[in-house]
Amino acid sequence: MIHVCYGLYDKKGTYSKYTGTSMLSVFENTKEKVTVHIFHDNTLTPENLNNFSRIAESYNQAVKFYNFDKIRPEKIEFMHEKLSSVFETRFSIGTFYRLMIDRNFFGDDVSKIIYLDSDTVVNLDIAELWNYNIENYAIAAVPEIEATRGYMIADKYLIKTEKVAVKDYLCAGIIMINLEKLEDDFFYKGVQWLADNSSCECFDQDILNYFFSKNYLKLPGKFNAFINPDKAVEGNVVSNKIYHYAGRGCLGMSLEIAHNKLFLKNFVKTPWFNENIFVGIYEATKKMYYEKKILGFQVSTIMNGKRRAFFTLKPLATPIKNFFAVNDAEEFIAVNENDSLKTLVQAMKKSKNKKVFFIIVEDYDAIKNHLIRAGFEEFEHFIDASTFIPNFDAEDFSYLFVEAL
């Protein structure tokens, strides 16, 4: 029996469909018996729980549910006490549920388990990962440099402070856990460490890196392939990999992109694909139209008396210059994929509020958070200019489809 788990926090009741799509993709491609363990809380609705059960039944597989509000209240209370600021970010408490298990959680029936983020599609037999021997390791994971091909711009605390080497920093979105190697108090130690290191931005991932980066089984990149880097390197094809739809814009691209078609191929087989999707497409169309009008008004207001400046990646430089008709007098910063954001921050400080920086990157949210921490304000000092570019965030049917989910 193969054991797979997900951590689910679904405040609006709209996120379970992604977990369900990932879960279905496991069943769709795996020949052996699989039990999926869903770690959740009181936000899991009866309807969504029933949908998970329907998927498992249709594949003659098993799914089990664990309400951590009921079975781990003391750990949740401890986490809220120590990490109150974490829950003001985009990160979900659900990502911490896997850290709350220990060697006794499942009894003697389960000695190891595969954890998958909900934004994944498993396009291989999960037994390929399950069959790796991790007897001598607490976890197995793909190093981030392999998962993202060095593509994502990020200033990670553990790397900047040289607590973890770049080559060793692991991606925690897909990991295999050897329960017999976990210390009983690991969760408490990890949360306390994170509370003492408030500069960390990756939270649960940084906990795992701090404790295990020097001694974990490094898996091939196929077991955690980030969509945008994979597409940039391998082209518009999918193969036998576990695809990770992390990062801004991944599911908002053209239906001509094979990775998006792969997601939709699995999603349409879930109980969440129903008539409400098409109502959502209509509502998303209206929402996008009005947001564009408002954004145009905001930009015209903040540009009063200021000049434009641009920040993007080098491969995009020429098309961006052409699209925005950038002239020689306007500042234009084009960086390599691995460059630091220091260049952008220094340029913004030097401008002394006389410029508005047009940011054109896929991982805008990460850059936005970095700039806000540096003392800048969105819609005053910088904007997400990719929203002006047709098909950059893919204003096509697939974009509306995903917005409607």
Side-chain angles (χ1 to χ4, degrees):
M1 176 69 72
I2 296 173
H3 295 275
V4 174
C5 68
Y6 295 90
L8 176 62
Y9 171 74
D10 195 1
K11 183 178 181 180
K12 297 180 180 179
T14 58
Y15 196 73
S16 292
K17 61 178 66 69
Y18 298 108
T19 309
T21 300
S22 179
M23 170 179 157
L24 182 142
S25 72
V26 173
F27 296 153
E28 184 79 12
N29 293 285
T30 303
K31 298 175 183 178
E32 298 182 37
K33 285 294 184 180
V34 179
T35 296
V36 168
H37 306 264
I38 296 182
F39 306 152
H40 66 94
D41 51 27
N42 291 329
T43 63
L44 177 60
T45 66
E47 180 182 3
N48 284 330
L49 186 150
N50 182 59
N51 284 343
F52 287 122
S53 297
R54 286 173 59 189
I55 293 172
E57 289 173 9
S58 67
Y59 285 89
N60 194 27
Q61 299 283 19
V63 60
K64 296 182 178 181
F65 301 92
Y66 308 79
N67 188 334
F68 276 59
D69 279 335
K70 294 181 179 179
I71 65 176
R72 288 292 186 267
E74 71 288 346
K75 290 187 175 180
I76 291 177
E77 182 180 356
F78 178 78
M79 187 164 57
H80 276 286
E81 176 187 338
K82 294 291 183 179
L83 304 176
S84 58
S85 61
V86 166
F87 303 104
E88 299 173 3
T89 72
R90 63 185 176 87
F91 283 83
S92 162
I93 189 175
T95 64
F96 285 88
Y97 290 156
R98 65 192 143 147
L99 305 184
M100 296 184 186
I101 62 176
D102 52 45
R103 71 188 77 186
N104 301 313
F105 187 84
F106 298 102
D108 296 329
D109 296 335
V110 183
S111 61
K112 67 178 181 178
I113 194 165
I114 295 171
Y115 167 83
L116 299 174
D117 272 354
S118 293
D119 56 352
T120 56
V121 171
V122 177
N123 201 41
L124 50 71
D125 191 321
I126 200 70
E128 288 187 42
L129 173 54
W130 181 257
N131 289 334
Y132 273 77
N133 185 348
I134 60 168
E135 182 179 353
N136 297 322
Y137 303 91
I139 65 172
V142 177
E144 178 167 285
I145 198 167
E146 293 287 334
T148 68
R149 310 290 185 102
Y151 181 80
M152 297 178 70
I153 297 176
D155 272 335
K156 290 190 167 57
Y157 169 77
L158 289 178
I159 293 176
K160 287 192 299 182
T161 57
E162 299 183 345
K163 290 181 170 63
V164 176
V166 173
K167 66 180 179 63
D168 295 329
Y169 190 90
L170 65 89
C171 259
I174 299 167
I175 58 175
M176 186 154 58
I177 305 169
N178 181 354
L179 297 169
E180 296 179 352
K181 285 285 187 179
L182 288 183
E183 297 180 12
D184 293 339
D185 59 350
F186 165 67
F187 173 78
Y188 292 103
K189 286 182 177 179
V191 169
Q192 185 61 59
W193 175 84
L194 186 59
D196 294 338
N197 292 269
S198 57
S199 296
C200 288
E201 301 169 7
C202 297
F203 306 135
D204 55 305
Q205 179 165 275
D206 279 341
I207 290 175
L208 290 167
N209 269 284
Y210 179 77
F211 284 91
F212 301 119
S213 63
K214 291 181 175 60
N215 186 32
Y216 71 98
L217 179 62
K218 293 182 178 179
L219 297 169
K222 66 181 292 185
F223 293 116
N224 194 345
F226 277 55
I227 297 298
N228 288 330
D230 186 83
K231 180 163 59 69
V233 175
E234 303 293 341
N236 187 26
V237 294
V238 295
S239 56
N240 293 332
K241 297 181 181 181
I242 301 179
Y243 287 106
H244 198 164
Y245 291 75
R248 189 172 180 271
C250 282
L251 290 178
M253 297 181 184
S254 170
L255 283 176
E256 296 178 357
I257 302 300
H259 304 76
N260 299 317
K261 292 174 71 173
L262 176 66
F263 169 82
L264 295 175
K265 176 184 176 182
N266 286 276
F267 172 72
V268 298
K269 296 176 183 178
T270 73
W272 287 277
F273 182 70
N274 53 41
E275 66 278 6
N276 294 327
I277 292 298
F278 299 97
V279 175
I281 290 172
Y282 171 72
E283 295 297 332
T285 306
K286 290 198 303 182
K287 177 175 177 286
M288 184 175 64
Y289 172 73
Y290 287 114
E291 284 178 348
K292 295 295 184 184
K293 291 185 67 173
I294 293 171
L295 180 60
F297 174 77
Q298 289 175 318
V299 172
S300 65
T301 300
I302 66 175
M303 288 305 301
N304 185 30
K306 295 183 179 180
R307 292 177 294 165
R308 300 185 306 175
F310 296 84
F311 178 83
T312 189
L313 296 177
K314 284 185 177 179
L316 298 176
T318 299
I320 295 303
K321 286 182 178 179
N322 292 336
F323 182 84
F324 286 99
V326 179
N327 62 57
D328 293 338
E330 293 178 305
E331 185 171 8
F332 193 95
I333 302 172
V335 299
N336 292 318
E337 293 167 352
N338 295 322
D339 281 350
S340 167
L341 289 174
K342 291 180 180 178
T343 303
L344 175 61
V345 172
Q346 290 171 354
M348 293 179 70
K349 289 180 178 179
K350 189 176 180 180
S351 75
K352 298 180 178 179
N353 298 329
K354 294 180 180 179
K355 298 178 182 179
V356 175
F357 281 76
F358 285 44
I359 311 287
I360 307 104
V361 294
E362 288 182 339
D363 197 12
Y364 172 77
D365 288 339
I367 291 179
K368 170 185 172 181
N369 294 335
H370 185 94
L371 294 178
I372 289 174
R373 288 193 298 273
F376 301 104
E377 295 184 25
E378 190 178 27
F379 297 115
E380 180 174 346
H381 304 111
F382 65 95
I383 61 169
D384 179 7
S386 65
T387 59
F388 294 115
I389 304 174
N391 293 325
F392 188 92
D393 249 349
E395 297 167 16
D396 59 6
F397 180 80
S398 69
Y399 174 82
L400 299 177
F401 188 94
V402 173
E403 284 292 298
L405 297 186

